[in-house]
Amino acid sequence: MTDPNYEVFLGGELVDLVIPNERAIHVDGWHRWFNDPAIVANLDQGIFPNTVDQQLEFLADLRRSRKRLGLMIQPKGEDHVVGIASLSNISFASRQADFAMVIGRKSPSFRSAFFGMEAKCLMTEHAFENMGLERINSGQSAALKDWQRWQILFGYKVEGIKRGAFRKGRTVHDVVVSGCLLEDYLALKEMRGGRLWPGYDRIMDLIRHLPKESLEQKVNAAIGGIVAEHYAGIRQT
């Protein structure tokens, strides 16, 4: 059933990506997500308080922008939004953008762990199919280990490690840099019968068969070893 409070922009199986509006702030508490220590633990936000007025200003900027696309994540059958997915620094010259996502509210649905996954698939599909982009950049705190394992299922491949690049107070983490190229997306789309999102039942099986070890740790060790070997014979004094 269509929710009169939100307009669907990208429809999915478990979630719809809907156009942000004032209800997301005044009713669903969008601004409060960025004041919750648990939500912002691996985000840049949370240093200063976020207010209703600031979120309304952000919404106004988002509506005017052609460099950022932000869509709220609304679970099917629910009347509220639980997060936001965005493409920022959109460049039609270089045909790339940066992906980011925040899940700010828990859902009672037992499928809620998969909401962010489908949201990322929907945004990735839109970027390549409708916006004509050819690369999507992504970077996450290394503390988000599950996402490091899962993202290959959406076409995002680890490309490097930025050492100590994320800090929240006295907590420091590396940042895992990844990206999805148009060719990565097209290959997955062909394997899955024309859609990036494989479906709820299939995604559960794919996750069960993922390697348990951390690719981030493997990449870090490999890069560290190569760099150390390369610099070992270089005079620096």
Side-chain angles (χ1 to χ4, degrees):
M1 184 173 65
T2 302
D3 183 349
N5 299 308
Y6 290 106
E7 183 177 348
V8 176
F9 187 70
L10 299 173
E13 178 190 7
L14 305 180
V15 300
D16 293 324
L17 297 188
V18 301
I19 300 172
N21 61 28
E22 288 77 5
R23 177 184 170 86
I25 301 169
H26 295 304
V27 177
D28 294 342
W30 180 10
H31 65 289
R32 295 193 188 97
W33 302 346
F34 304 101
N35 296 325
D36 186 327
I39 294 172
V40 300
N42 291 290
L43 302 176
D44 291 331
Q45 292 90 343
I47 305 301
F48 298 98
N50 192 40
T51 66
V52 168
D53 288 343
Q54 288 171 318
Q55 202 65 47
L56 287 169
E57 183 178 345
F58 177 86
L59 176 60
D61 290 342
L62 185 63
R63 284 169 167 165
R64 291 189 293 265
S65 178
R66 290 299 176 265
K67 296 290 186 181
R68 182 195 299 266
L69 169 65
L71 297 171
M72 310 302 293
I73 303 168
Q74 183 180 27
K76 293 280 192 179
E78 298 185 21
D79 62 358
H80 56 269
V81 294
V82 299
I84 182 168
S86 70
L87 294 169
S88 60
N89 298 317
I90 299 169
S91 171
F92 293 105
S94 61
R95 297 196 176 188
Q96 62 181 295
D98 301 336
F99 176 84
M101 181 170 58
V102 176
I103 301 296
R105 180 172 175 174
K106 292 183 178 180
S107 169
S109 171
F110 67 93
R111 296 183 172 187
S112 60
F114 302 92
F115 291 168
M117 298 182 197
E118 187 179 19
K120 189 165 187 173
C121 286
L122 289 170
M123 282 295 259
T124 301
E125 195 168 52
H126 179 67
F128 290 129
E129 295 289 346
N130 301 322
M131 300 175 70
L133 302 186
E134 295 187 359
R135 175 181 170 87
I136 304 175
N137 308 304
S138 183
Q140 300 167 327
S141 164
L144 299 172
K145 295 190 181 300
D146 284 340
W147 273 102
Q148 313 312 331
R149 292 180 60 241
W150 297 338
Q151 64 179 342
I152 188 60
L153 298 177
F154 322 128
Y156 289 78
K157 298 179 181 179
V158 173
E159 297 176 335
I161 308 292
K162 295 170 70 174
R163 297 175 300 153
F166 177 82
R167 175 182 290 273
K168 179 59 67 76
R170 289 182 292 176
T171 301
V172 179
H173 293 294
D174 293 342
V175 169
V176 180
V177 178
S178 59
C180 181
L181 301 182
L182 175 60
E183 61 197 60
D184 302 322
Y185 162 74
L186 291 176
L188 273 179
K189 178 184 172 183
E190 183 177 0
M191 286 190 287
R192 294 173 180 172
R195 292 298 301 270
L196 183 59
W197 173 248
Y200 171 69
D201 293 334
R202 184 63 182 142
I203 197 70
M204 290 182 66
D205 185 59
L206 292 172
I207 289 173
R208 279 194 293 266
H209 287 86
L210 283 171
K212 301 300 182 184
E213 64 269 28
S214 167
L215 179 58
E216 172 257 330
Q217 291 178 342
K218 285 184 174 181
V219 171
N220 218 351
I223 292 175
I226 292 170
V227 170
E229 180 182 353
H230 180 78
Y231 286 146
I234 298 176
R235 291 184 59 183
Q236 299 188 49
T237 60

